[in-house]
Amino acid sequence: MTASSSFRFAAFTASATIGVLAGAGSYTFVKAEGLSYMSDDPAVCVNCHIMREQYDGWRHGPHRAVATCNDCHLPHDTLLNKLFVKGSNGWNHSREFTLQGFAEPIRIKPGNSQVLEANCRRCHATAVGDITAHGTLGVPSDPLQQADLYGCVRCHQSAGHGPTR
Amino acid sequence: NRNVTIRQAEALQTSFMVVPIDETTVDPAQWGKNFPRQYDGYLRTADKYSTTYGGAGSDGMPKSRLEEDPRLVTIFDGYAFAVDFRLRQGHAHMLEDQRTTKRVTERPQTGACLHCHASNTVAYREAGLRHGAPGALTDAFASSSAQQQLMKGFEEICKLPYEEATMLVSHPVACIDCHDPKTMALRVTKPGFLRGIDALAKSGEPLPHLPSIERWRSGDRAKPYDPNTDGSRQELRSMVCGQCHVEYYCGPKATLFFPWNKGLKVEQIEEYYAEYKFANGAPFTDWTHARTGAPMLKAQHPEFEMWSQGIHARSGVSCADCHMPYRREGAIKISDHHVRSPLLDITRSCQACHRFPESELLARVATIQHRTKMLMDRAEDALVQLIDDLGRSKQAGADASRLQAAFALHQKAQWRVDFVNAENSMGFHAPQEAARILGEAIDFARQGQLAVRDANGR
Amino acid sequence: NRNVTIRQAEALQTSFMVVPIDETTVDPAQWGKNFPRQYDGYLRTADKYSTTYGGAGSDGMPKSRLEEDPRLVTIFDGYAFAVDFRLRQGHAHMLEDQRTTKRVTERPQTGACLHCHASNTVAYREAGLRHGAPGALTDAFASSSAQQQLMKGFEEICKLPYEEATMLVSHPVACIDCHDPKTMALRVTKPGFLRGIDALAKSGEPLPHLPSIERWRSGDRAKPYDPNTDGSRQELRSMVCGQCHVEYYCGPKATLFFPWNKGLKVEQIEEYYAEYKFANGAPFTDWTHARTGAPMLKAQHPEFEMWSQGIHARSGVSCADCHMPYRREGAIKISDHHVRSPLLDITRSCQACHRFPESELLARVATIQHRTKMLMDRAEDALVQLIDDLGRSKQAGADASRLQAAFALHQKAQWRVDFVNAENSMGFHAPQEAARILGEAIDFARQGQLAVRDANGR
Ligand SMILES: [Ca+2]
Ligand SMILES: [Ca+2]
C-alpha cells in the first residue's frame, strides 16, 4: 500500500470510529442514510430527499443507463480510497443532514470534483486522449474554487444530471 | 501534483511522432504528419464564407469594407485605410492578403506588419542570431538566449522595409507560433504580446478574467509575469489569439507595441496614447485627417480587448472554446483547427454550454449584432456630419485655433466609432460595452458639431 | 418541470386549510392562516433597505429621486413628478406611499391610480355589481359574469376622484390578486394587464419569451388570448408582476391602459402614442414642458418591457425566479414572498443557475449597472442642456414655429432617458438594450441643440 493510501486508511478508520462514537450524528449515520453510502444503488442516495433533485436529474440525464452515482462520485483508483471517500462523504453529509447546516443550493466540493473528473476521464480516456495529452483540461474545475474554469464539467455540466437551467 | 499523475496515467497515445519536430520546424506540413487531424482543419482556413457580419464573401477577393460602407472613405480620409480596407478571411490567406493590399503596395510599410501575418518565431530568432544574440536556434524557447534572439530579431525586422522583411517568412501563422514542439502545450511567441501582457500585468487594472495575473500581482513580483509559465491552459486558449487580435501601433515612428499599460478599455488605451511621446518628443498620433486637419487615432481589431469586457471572458470562456470547438473524429475528440465564425457550427461552438436550439442561439447573436449595427450607423452618421462641418468651416477660412475643441472631439468620437467598427464580432464579444462606447461616440461627435457652430460665433 | 410538480405536491401536503378562503377573501391575514410561511414573507416586504441602486433607504421616508438627481426637476418641469418623486420600496408600503405622495395630495388624481397600488380584485367586482354587472361576487373569477363585474367596476372606479376611490380599498397587493383561492394557482386579475396583453397578442411583434402567445397566434384565434388559460405557469411567474411593473397611461383623458399594441420596445410604444388620439380628437401627450413648451411623454417603471428585451426572458427566467426565489423551510421549498432586490440573497436568487461565487455575481451586476449609470448621466446632461437652449431662445422670443424640429427631438430624447431612468434595475434587466436606448437619447438631445442653433439662423 502506498504512503498516501495508508494515510487514508488511518484517516478512514479514524472517521469511522468517530462515526460510531458520535451520538446523534452517528445515530443518523447508522440509522439509514449514512449506510446508504456503503451501497452502489442510486435509489439509496435518494434516501435523503435532499438528493432528490440530483437523482431525478440523473434519471433523465444521458448517463442513466451507463453510470450510477458512485461510478462518478467515488474514486476508482484503490478500494481503500473508495471506502475512505465513501466514509467521509457519508459522515459529512449525514452530519450536515442531521444538523441541517449546509448551504443551498448544494454544490460539489473541490475534493469531490477531482474525483468526478477522474471518473469522466477513466471512462472516456480514448475520447479525450488527444485533448488531455499535452496538459490537463484541468481539475479543479469548479468556479467556487476561485480557480480557472477548465475541466470536463465546464462544458458538460449537464452530463450527470441533465440541464440544470 | 495529482492532475499530472492522472494525465500521465490516462493520456492515451492517439497520435504518433512519425517525424521529429523541434524549434527549427516551421513548415506546418511537417507537424501535420504527426497530427494529421489538426493539420486538415488548419488547411481548411483557406475556405471562404459569409455570415451576416462575418467572413469576407464566398468567392474572389475579400469584400471591401469601403464599398460596403462608403462613410469609411470620409472617416479615414488621408490614411492608408481609405485606399484599401477589406473584410477579414481565414488564416491561410493572412500573408498573401497583406502582401497584396494597396495599403502595402501603394504605401511604404515596415517589417513590423509581419508580426501578425506570418509564422515568424524562427525568422525573428534567426535574425536575432545574425545580429549577435547569444545561443543557437535549437535552444529551448523559454531559455534566456532564445528570448534574446527573439526580441533582437523582432526589433531588427521591424526596421526593415516591408518588401525586404517579407522575404524572410514563408508561412501564415503556423503550429510553432502557438505550440511547444516537444509537448504540444500552448505557448505565446509574439514579442508584441509578450511585452503587452507584461505592461498589462504591471498596470493597476483589475483583470478578473485573467486570474493568473491577479495571482502574480499578489505575489512578490520578483520575476516579471510570464504567460508561458504563469498562465493557465485556459488563459492560453485565449492568449494565443491575443497575440494578434488586438489594437496596436505599427508604424515607422516606434517599434510595434500593444497600448495596454493602463488597461484594455477604450478610454484607458486613449489615455495611454494621450500621454505617449515618440522618440522625437512628438505627441502620439497615427495620422492627420485630410478633411479636418485633426490629429487621429486608428483602432485595429481589438477582439482581445473587447472579449475582455464581456461576460464570456469573466466566465472563463476562451476564444478557442467558440472558434476552435472540440469535434469528434472517429473515437476521439480534437480541437477544430478550422478557425472561423462559430455561427457556422453552433452545435459544437455554443450548444455544449447553451442548451437552446440552434435557431434560438442564432437569433440571440442576430439581436445583439443588429442593435450594435443600428447604433454604429447612428454614430458614423454623426461623425461624418462633424467631419463635413469641420471641413466646411476650414474652407470658409475659420482659423484653426478656434477649432481646437472641435478637433479634440473629432478624435475622441472617431476613436470610439472605429474601436467598435474595427472589432470583428459586431458587438457580440461584449454587447453592452460596445453600445456604451458608441453612445459616447455619438455624444462627442454631436458636441463637436456644436463646438464648430459656437466657434463660428453662431 | 419536475422539481416544480414536486414542490406543488409539497405545498399542498404541508399546508392545511384551517380557514376557508374564496373569491370574497381580501384580507391576506386570512390566507396567511392556511399558508403561514408565505404570509410571513409577504409581511416582511415592509422592511426597508438600500443597495447601490435598489431600495429606498433603511429608514424614514423613502429617498427622493429629485434630491438624488436635481436634473430631474428640470426634466419634469411642469409635471407632478417634479414635485415629489421617490425611490420605490416594498409592497407593504404601496398604498400608503400613494396616498401620501404630493403627486396625490397636491395634484388632482383619479381612481385609476389604485390599479397597481391596492388589492382591488374584489373592490372592482363589487363596484361592477353596484353598476349593474350580472352575477354575484362568489362567481368563479373566470366566469363571464365575474369578468363583466371586474371590467365595469374598473371603468367606474377610474372615473372617481382619488380621494373617493381610495376609500374602496384597504390592502396593498394581496394574495387574491395573484392566486386562485381554490387551487392557489397563479392568475392575473388586473384589467389593465388583461387588456394590454390582449393587444400585445394581436400585434405582429415576435415574442420568443412568451411562447404561449406565439402558440395562440398560430392557432385559429377564435377566442382572444387569455393568460389565465393559455399562459404557462412559467409565464405567469412574470405576468403577475407585469400587472403593475409596466409603462402606462393613467390620467383623466382616457381609461388607464398599457400601450402595447405595437410591441414592447421603447420606439414601438412611442409610435403607438404618436398615432393615439384622445376621445376629443387631441393627439396623445402627458403634459407640456414648462420651460420649453414641448409636448412630453412620461415613462413609468417599464420593468416588464425591459425584461422582455433581455437574455433572461429569452431563457425563460421569470421575475419570480430572481425576486421570489425558492427557499427551503424544513422539508419543503417555498417561494420567498419577501419580494425585494435579489442582491440581498444572491445564493438563492442567482446561484441556483450560476455556478459562480457571490462576489463575482455582485461584480457582474455592478459592472452592468455602472455602465448604464455613466451613460444615463451623459444622456441627462445632454437633455438638460437642450432644455436650457430651448428655454433661452423662447425667452429671447424666437417664434415657436421655427422650433418645431427641436421640440420633437426634445420629446424623443426625454422619452428615452426617462424610459431607462424610470426602469428600476439600472439596466440589469436588459443591459445592451438600455445602453442602446441611451445612445439614441444622446443623439436626439444633441441634434435638438443643433436644431435650436440652426433655427436661430446660427
Ligand atoms: Ca492602432
Ligand atoms: Ca406613461
Side-chain angles (χ1 to χ4, degrees):
Chain A
M1 126 184 359
T2 70
S4 85
S5 55
S6 62
F7 160 76
R8 286 171 176 284
F9 179 69
F12 171 60
T13 341
S15 68
T17 330
I18 299 165
V20 175
L21 299 178
S26 66
Y27 170 72
T28 325
F29 181 85
V30 175
K31 179 160 163 274
E33 298 89 341
L35 286 177
S36 311
Y37 276 88
M38 298 309 158
S39 154
D40 274 339
D41 174 4
V44 301
C45 295
V46 61
N47 273 351
C48 283
H49 52 74
I50 205 79
M51 294 289 98
R52 164 64 61 178
E53 211 156 315
Q54 285 74 23
Y55 179 79
D56 291 335
W58 168 74
R59 285 190 27 235
H60 294 73
H63 284 83
R64 59 188 175 288
V66 295
T68 64
C69 316
N70 290 339
D71 289 327
C72 286
H73 290 295
L74 286 181
H76 290 66
D77 46 4
T78 69
L79 176 62
L80 267 173
N81 194 8
K82 175 172 182 172
L83 288 175
F84 168 70
V85 173
K86 264 196 173 198
S88 54
N89 273 353
W91 167 250
N92 290 336
H93 302 170
S94 308
R95 188 196 59 238
E96 291 295 337
F97 188 67
T98 314
L99 305 178
Q100 291 285 318
F102 56 92
E104 289 188 277
I106 291 172
R107 285 292 177 252
I108 196 162
K109 304 278 181 296
N112 283 329
S113 38
Q114 292 211 345
V115 169
L116 179 62
E117 177 148 329
N119 282 321
C120 309
R121 296 164 67 178
R122 173 173 58 89
C123 292
H124 295 291
T126 325
V128 302
D130 254 30
I131 63 173
T132 52
H134 63 292
T136 173
L137 251 179
V139 284
S141 64
D142 183 342
L144 294 174
Q145 301 173 39
Q146 310 279 319
D148 305 87
L149 293 98
Y150 37 53
C152 311
V153 295
R154 193 165 60 81
C155 301
H156 297 297
Q157 219 267 317
S158 54
H161 304 277
T164 46
R165 65 162 186 252
Chain B
N1 170 320
R2 173 171 184 161
N3 311 350
V4 176
T5 22
I6 296 174
R7 186 206 324 159
Q8 282 159 354
E10 294 193 355
L12 287 199
Q13 197 58 36
T14 50
S15 43
F16 303 93
M17 295 296 167
V18 292
V19 301
I21 50 175
D22 60 26
E23 290 294 354
T24 69
T25 318
V26 181
D27 183 359
Q30 291 305 311
W31 295 59
K33 293 188 178 133
N34 297 337
F35 306 103
R37 295 189 190 83
Q38 288 79 6
Y39 183 58
D40 289 348
Y42 171 88
L43 290 177
R44 294 201 49 207
T45 60
D47 298 2
K48 291 166 176 286
Y49 66 84
S50 265
T51 62
T52 311
Y53 298 107
S58 306
D59 45 40
M61 291 276 287
K63 286 197 209 134
S64 164
R65 292 197 183 203
L66 301 174
E67 283 160 25
E68 289 202 335
D69 182 358
R71 290 170 298 196
L72 295 177
V73 180
T74 309
I75 290 172
F76 297 131
D77 200 348
Y79 202 44
F81 280 85
V83 176
D84 189 359
F85 181 29
R86 300 178 175 279
L87 291 163
R88 44 22 226 148
Q89 51 181 339
H91 283 169
H93 304 279
M94 63 171 67
L95 188 48
E96 171 208 7
D97 283 350
Q98 186 176 62
R99 286 172 174 169
T100 56
T101 179
K102 292 206 181 80
R103 303 211 296 276
V104 164
T105 58
E106 301 185 357
R107 294 277 192 285
Q109 300 287 4
T110 72
C113 298
L114 289 168
H115 180 278
C116 305
H117 285 262
S119 178
N120 40 29
T121 316
V122 170
Y124 284 150
R125 290 181 62 180
E126 284 172 341
L129 286 164
R130 281 198 303 278
H131 290 81
L137 188 58
T138 47
D139 297 348
F141 183 79
S143 66
S144 95
S145 57
Q147 290 298 307
Q148 291 174 58
Q149 296 161 22
L150 185 77
M151 290 302 175
K152 181 71 185 160
F154 165 62
E155 296 282 353
E156 293 303 328
I157 289 183
C158 282
K159 292 189 199 125
L160 298 176
Y162 183 82
E163 296 61 31
E164 237 174 275
T166 198
M167 310 298 277
L168 302 173
V169 300
S170 43
H171 296 282
V173 60
C175 323
I176 195 169
D177 303 317
C178 300
H179 289 288
D180 177 329
K182 274 218 196 56
T183 63
M184 287 312 290
L186 285 178
R187 69 177 185 187
V188 284
T189 58
K190 304 277 178 186
F193 181 84
L194 294 169
R195 291 177 178 179
I197 201 76
D198 176 54
L200 180 62
K202 295 200 174 92
S203 79
E205 175 70 352
L207 300 166
H209 65 302
L210 298 175
S212 72
I213 293 186
E214 297 284 4
R215 253 193 312 279
W216 174 83
R217 286 171 172 175
S218 62
D220 63 3
R221 299 182 175 214
K223 291 199 272 76
Y225 172 79
D226 175 355
N228 287 324
T229 54
D230 301 332
S232 71
R233 171 181 180 171
Q234 186 58 17
E235 291 167 310
L236 279 160
R237 287 168 57 90
S238 294
M239 287 178 172
V240 289
C241 317
Q243 298 185 104
C244 304
H245 288 267
V246 297
E247 153 62 8
Y248 63 83
Y249 171 76
C250 171
K253 295 182 269 175
T255 308
L256 163 72
F257 66 87
F258 300 178
W260 294 348
N261 303 51
K262 290 173 177 290
L264 299 168
K265 299 202 189 83
V266 67
E267 60 272 16
Q268 292 168 326
I269 298 177
E270 181 181 47
E271 202 186 324
Y272 179 66
Y273 282 142
E275 295 175 9
Y276 186 98
K277 297 257 173 300
F278 287 116
N280 63 7
F284 183 92
T285 168
D286 282 305
W287 91 101
T288 303
H289 198 280
R291 291 273 293 286
T292 69
M296 288 288 111
L297 302 177
K298 179 71 186 80
Q300 288 96 342
H301 37 72
E303 278 88 55
F304 186 79
E305 293 87 340
M306 276 292 229
W307 163 81
S308 295
Q309 306 310 320
I311 271 291
H312 281 107
R314 287 197 82 117
S315 306
V317 184
S318 70
C319 316
D321 289 343
C322 299
H323 290 281
M324 297 182 67
Y326 289 126
R327 77 179 299 121
R328 189 165 39 104
E329 301 223 335
I332 72 161
K333 279 171 75 169
I334 60 153
S335 300
D336 190 345
H337 280 60
H338 182 189
V339 175
R340 57 179 172 159
S341 166
L343 301 189
L344 301 171
D345 191 5
I346 291 281
T347 318
R348 294 188 180 87
S349 297
C350 319
Q351 286 179 321
C353 297
H354 297 287
R355 309 211 127 240
F356 297 100
E358 171 159 1
S359 59
E360 167 61 14
L361 287 164
L362 284 168
R364 289 180 183 191
V365 176
T367 307
I368 291 168
Q369 294 186 322
H370 180 72
R371 281 194 194 118
T372 309
K373 181 66 165 65
M374 292 300 101
L375 209 55
M376 194 169 78
D377 281 338
R378 194 173 280 280
E380 284 187 17
D381 289 342
L383 179 57
V384 168
Q385 289 169 27
L386 167 59
I387 293 173
D388 290 343
D389 290 354
L390 271 169
R392 257 196 307 281
S393 55
K394 255 189 73 183
Q395 282 163 4
D399 87 47
S401 66
R402 284 198 283 99
L403 294 175
Q404 289 313 317
F407 287 158
L409 288 159
H410 177 196
Q411 187 192 74
K412 290 177 90 63
Q414 179 154 335
W415 166 245
R416 284 164 175 75
V417 175
D418 200 13
F419 203 86
V420 175
N421 185 33
E423 209 277 339
N424 284 284
S425 69
M426 192 52 80
F428 177 82
H429 292 147
Q432 192 198 18
E433 175 70 356
R436 177 190 75 94
I437 294 172
L438 291 170
E440 290 189 9
I442 292 167
D443 196 22
F444 292 131
R446 295 301 187 190
Q447 284 189 41
Q449 290 183 274
L450 291 166
V452 174
R453 282 168 177 65
D454 297 346
N456 301 340
R458 47 204 229 50
Chain C
N1 168 318
R2 49 181 190 283
N3 309 336
V4 155
T5 22
I6 296 160
R7 248 175 246 111
Q8 270 173 324
E10 284 171 344
L12 295 186
Q13 298 157 11
T14 52
S15 50
F16 312 92
M17 297 297 168
V18 291
V19 301
I21 49 175
D22 62 27
E23 289 294 354
T24 68
T25 318
V26 181
D27 183 0
Q30 291 306 313
W31 295 58
K33 294 188 178 130
N34 296 339
F35 306 102
R37 294 190 191 80
Q38 287 79 8
Y39 184 57
D40 290 347
Y42 172 87
L43 290 176
R44 294 200 49 207
T45 60
D47 297 2
K48 292 167 177 286
Y49 66 84
S50 266
T51 61
T52 312
Y53 298 106
S58 305
D59 45 40
M61 291 277 288
K63 284 195 209 136
S64 166
R65 292 197 185 205
L66 300 173
E67 283 161 25
E68 289 201 337
D69 183 357
R71 288 169 300 195
L72 296 177
V73 179
T74 309
I75 291 173
F76 297 130
D77 200 349
Y79 202 45
F81 279 85
V83 177
D84 189 0
F85 181 30
R86 302 180 174 279
L87 290 163
R88 49 10 231 150
Q89 50 181 342
H91 282 169
H93 304 279
M94 63 171 69
L95 187 50
E96 172 208 6
D97 283 350
Q98 185 176 62
R99 287 172 174 170
T100 56
T101 179
K102 293 207 181 79
R103 302 211 298 276
V104 164
T105 57
E106 301 184 358
R107 293 276 193 285
Q109 299 289 3
T110 72
C113 297
L114 290 167
H115 180 279
C116 305
H117 285 263
S119 178
N120 41 29
T121 315
V122 171
Y124 284 151
R125 289 180 63 179
E126 284 172 339
L129 287 165
R130 281 197 303 277
H131 288 81
L137 188 59
T138 47
D139 297 348
F141 183 79
S143 68
S144 97
S145 57
Q147 289 298 307
Q148 290 174 59
Q149 296 161 21
L150 185 78
M151 291 301 175
K152 181 71 185 158
F154 166 61
E155 296 283 353
E156 295 303 329
I157 289 182
C158 282
K159 292 191 201 122
L160 299 175
Y162 182 83
E163 296 60 32
E164 243 174 84
T166 199
M167 310 299 275
L168 302 174
V169 299
S170 43
H171 295 282
V173 61
C175 323
I176 196 168
D177 302 317
C178 299
H179 289 288
D180 178 327
K182 274 218 196 55
T183 63
M184 287 311 290
L186 284 179
R187 69 178 184 186
V188 284
T189 58
K190 304 278 179 186
F193 181 85
L194 294 168
R195 291 177 179 180
I197 202 76
D198 176 55
L200 180 61
K202 295 200 175 94
S203 79
E205 175 70 352
L207 300 167
H209 65 302
L210 298 174
S212 72
I213 293 187
E214 296 285 2
R215 227 175 293 113
W216 174 83
R217 286 172 173 174
S218 62
D220 63 6
R221 299 181 174 212
K223 291 200 272 70
Y225 172 79
D226 175 356
N228 287 325
T229 55
D230 301 333
S232 72
R233 170 178 181 175
Q234 186 60 17
E235 289 168 315
L236 278 162
R237 286 168 55 86
S238 295
M239 288 178 172
V240 288
C241 317
Q243 298 185 101
C244 303
H245 288 267
V246 297
E247 153 63 5
Y248 63 82
Y249 170 76
C250 170
K253 295 182 269 175
T255 309
L256 162 75
F257 66 87
F258 299 179
W260 294 348
N261 304 52
K262 290 172 178 289
L264 299 167
K265 299 202 189 81
V266 66
E267 60 270 19
Q268 293 167 325
I269 297 177
E270 180 180 46
E271 203 186 324
Y272 179 67
Y273 283 142
E275 296 175 9
Y276 185 97
K277 297 258 174 297
F278 287 117
N280 64 8
F284 183 93
T285 168
D286 282 304
W287 91 101
T288 303
H289 198 280
R291 290 275 293 286
T292 70
M296 288 289 112
L297 301 177
K298 179 72 187 77
Q300 287 96 343
H301 36 72
E303 278 88 55
F304 187 79
E305 294 87 340
M306 277 293 235
W307 164 80
S308 296
Q309 306 310 320
I311 273 289
H312 282 107
R314 287 197 81 116
S315 305
V317 184
S318 70
C319 317
D321 287 330
C322 299
H323 289 282
M324 299 181 66
Y326 290 114
R327 75 179 310 127
R328 212 163 52 79
E329 301 223 341
I332 71 159
K333 281 194 176 176
I334 64 153
S335 301
D336 189 344
H337 280 60
H338 184 190
V339 176
R340 57 180 172 161
S341 166
L343 301 190
L344 301 172
D345 191 7
I346 290 282
T347 318
R348 293 193 183 80
S349 298
C350 319
Q351 287 179 326
C353 295
H354 296 286
R355 308 179 68 91
F356 297 96
E358 172 160 1
S359 58
E360 167 62 14
L361 288 163
L362 283 168
R364 288 180 185 191
V365 176
T367 306
I368 291 168
Q369 294 187 320
H370 180 72
R371 282 197 193 117
T372 309
K373 181 66 164 66
M374 291 300 102
L375 209 54
M376 194 169 79
D377 281 338
R378 196 174 277 281
E380 283 187 17
D381 289 343
L383 179 58
V384 168
Q385 288 169 27
L386 167 59
I387 293 172
D388 290 343
D389 290 354
L390 271 169
R392 260 195 307 279
S393 56
K394 256 188 73 183
Q395 282 162 3
D399 87 49
S401 68
R402 285 198 283 99
L403 294 175
Q404 289 312 317
F407 287 158
L409 287 160
H410 176 197
Q411 187 192 74
K412 290 176 89 66
Q414 179 155 332
W415 166 244
R416 283 163 175 76
V417 175
D418 200 13
F419 203 85
V420 175
N421 186 33
E423 208 278 339
N424 284 284
S425 69
M426 193 51 81
F428 176 82
H429 292 145
Q432 192 197 18
E433 175 69 357
R436 177 190 75 93
I437 293 172
L438 291 170
E440 290 190 6
I442 292 167
D443 196 22
F444 292 131
R446 296 300 187 191
Q447 283 189 42
Q449 291 183 276
L450 292 166
V452 173
R453 282 169 177 63
D454 297 347
N456 302 342
R458 45 199 232 56

